[in-house]
Amino acid sequence: MLNDSLTIIKQQTLLMKKCLDSKGKLMDALKHASTFLSELRTSALTPKHYYELYIVIYDALEYLSNYLKENHPNNHLSDLYELVQYAGNIVPRLYLMITVGTVYMSILNAPIKEIMKDMIEMCRGVQHPIRGLFLRYYLSQKTKDLLPDKSKVSENTSLEDSTEFIITNFIEMNKLWVRLQHQGHSRERQKRTKERQELQILVGSNLVRLSQLDGIDKFYYKNVILPRILEQIIQCRDLIAQEYLLDVVIQVFPDEFHLFTLDMLLKATLNLIPQVSLKKISISLMDRLANFIHREDGKLKNKESQKENGNETKTEIETKTEIETITENQNQNQNQKEKEKEKEEKIDNNQVDATEKEKEKENQFDLFQKFYSYIQKLDELRPDLSIDDITALLEKLCKLSLTYYPKNYKNIDTLLLHTLKRLDEFKDTREASSPITEQNLKNILLIPVDFVSIFEVHEQKSINLDLLLNLKNYTKLLESQSPKVQSFISQQFLDKILDYKMQLQNEDIVNCIFNLLSSIVNSNLSRNKKSKKSSSTSNSLLFALINQEKVAKILHLIYNKDPIENSKLLLVASKYLSKGGSKIKYTYSSLIFNFLKIIRRKITKYEKRINDYKREIKNIFKGLTKYINELYSFGSLELALKLLISVSNISNEIMMNEFTNEFFIKIFSIYEELINSKQQYQIITELISVLILYYKNFYVESKNDYDKENYDNLITKTVLYSVKLLKKPDQCRAVYFASHLWFQPNDFSSKSSKEKERGKEKESDSVNTENGENTENGANVGSVGSASITNNKRVMECLQKSLRISDSCIESSVSIELFIEILNQCIYYYIHGNLISAKYINDLIELIKNNLENVDIDELPVNHFKRTLNYISRQKLIDERFELIRY
């Protein structure tokens, strides 16, 4: 049927154009136009297909309109306007009437007001919903550029005529649109609803036309336009119409108008039918008002630059007045100045008094309070309102309040308390745990993370900590949520803090942040062995471990210029971390190293007065011992040992030898509980390395014989633990490495006069014998001139012990590799002080050669031995002593 109609329309349009192109055939052209317009009388087409017909006919009538405009001196339009009204059918008659009438309105001195009134009244003759809607839509389209407004006012027309014309057309179209819902069989209701949604833009176009009229101010809008629109919306009592039309009102009219008429809008929504989604309407309005201040902020910046150049216009002054009005409650101390400025900026002196009265009312305007009172009324009048809708409204109001009143934290706290109360009413219901409600609550709780007001200037992005610190009910609301939601919120805070690299500089902030992270810090990491979902359990465990790593990173963001204050902040954080149970093994390392960093800062900052701060440092060491004991109690033995070694390094650096000794005693007690032989070997090598460094403080710079005795006990015990290692190769390597504990460079002694004198006495008594052995505490000077304070007997004992251990290895390749390593150690001692004789080295080389000849082994030891011999050959070129080594 659509194709048949389109064919007829195209044929008749072609005939109409031919008649118009021929002189004296205007009446024939109108007959052809009436013929194709008759196709719009059908009731069998859907709105979508009817619209296709309408578009084709509109183009044809546009051709007729252009012809009439160009030729109206030859054809009197007033006569033609009456003539077309004699068409046989009402639909063609009215389309032709509107076509000729709008052309008539465009000519000079036309009776515009009478034509407008005539056309709008005649359109009442078509009461079929679809035909009537398209007819009135055609009327709206054809008159949109002809209606009188501020720029087109004449003696016979005014702005009021145009608004009356559009509002009347809107009311009639809305009635037709609503009537469509009640036609046909009830089983086709869903189909009709869909058709109505396709036609809704026709009705909304009237409101768009109304908002585009030039000369409408907020007072005229409030007193004339909005009351009639709201009255029609409320009276139609239709779900689709009320939701759609209110949304159109909110979207098409200026934001200043909505601020000025907010009470009327909110009151009207309370009178809608119960099925209407007030959440959708209210959120749309709040979003529009929130975006308004962002848009106006950009305009104000442009205005300020233009003002400097002397180009400020009246429109810009009014914009400034609106923004000042919105933020009036935040600037109570400047109200009088603002009023005086507004008076000076008024151009029309006749309206000053009336405008000032309105301004005084706006000065008392509290946007938040109006919306909050509205939500409270909704609670009373709509008890069936779901918790999903309530939380969505509260979320939007939070953002709106922060947009207009960024420093008024009491508003947000009030909303959080209201949220808590409403959640309590829905406690243990399915709605309270629905995904929508859960998401709304997440959005509310994330406002300090995601929301930044345009009034706040940030050098860099950050979380709104001031807001968090001033919200008494925030933590309560967070704790009332499910563990899943709490974990999500904590995760977001955690990520944002790290992304923004925020420094936590005072105790309140540290307490606030770690309170928010409590769901992560205190969560259980234990794996359920009986769980069937092993993969999901593994993923959740991995996710939890990643979070612990992030918590450890946050500790590095705790900073204060004063090291003492900084240590207090870390103590606050440690109270929260200690509640993590077994998870402290992921966070305590970062905590301890931050304390050590503070000690280093004190050493750097107060180097000359370090003794004045030793009390604070001792307290830090005691706290670190406590943390390490906690790690030990949870079975993290290796981690506890490594941390103790790091702490002992710092205590040695600041010469607090009593603490260093205590740390090592603790290290040995924990070491004895280690089972893994690989861990034991790693710890022993670390202990030997640090003990070599400790020699300076315990032996050279210390005047206390007790320190020297402690040092001797520590290194002796270390060697004993080396011998007790499980694997022979580990024993051998640990023992020959421990020989360096009795071979200390004389560089340390240069800072001690006693050690210098002692070194001189030993130098005078020393004798370079071939076997390199001397008295137990003798010192030898090598040819390269490097002096050493050594205990030759202990060094030789360690080397001999390592030889015996390597010889006892079952695997020949391992034994030979160890021999070669010991040979390298002997060469080191031979270079630095002649502790080892050339004969000893020659015998060792011979031993290795014999073993290589008698055993078929891998190339690795052989290559190692060759490199060692090559090194000896190169040393002969620079050191004559190496001539004594023969192979």
Side-chain angles (χ1 to χ4, degrees), residues 96-140:
L96 289 173
M97 177 183 175
I98 294 170
T99 304
V100 178
T102 51
V103 174
Y104 190 16
M105 288 173 64
S106 65
I107 66 173
L108 188 64
N109 299 323
I112 297 176
K113 184 175 181 180
E114 288 74 11
I115 296 173
M116 289 167 52
K117 184 177 180 181
D118 191 29
M119 289 191 298
I120 199 71
E121 290 296 330
M122 291 295 291
C123 285
R124 295 180 186 272
V126 179
Q127 291 297 313
H128 185 276
I130 295 179
R131 294 197 292 269
L133 281 172
F134 277 95
L135 174 65
R136 289 185 175 275
Y137 181 61
Y138 180 71
L139 174 64
S140 176

Side-chain angles (χ1 to χ4, degrees), residues 469 584 646:
L469 294 174
I584 60 173
S646 298

Side-chain angles (χ1 to χ4, degrees), residues 786-804:
S786 60
S788 299
I789 299 173
T790 66
N791 188 327
N792 293 355
K793 181 180 178 182
R794 293 289 189 181
V795 173
M796 288 304 299
E797 285 178 356
C798 289
L799 293 175
Q800 290 287 72
K801 181 66 176 177
S802 62
L803 276 171
R804 289 194 296 270

Side-chain angles (χ1 to χ4, degrees), residues 352-362:
V352 169
D353 296 335
T355 304
E356 285 303 316
K357 289 180 181 180
E358 295 295 337
K359 290 297 174 185
E360 289 177 3
K361 292 179 181 179
E362 289 184 11

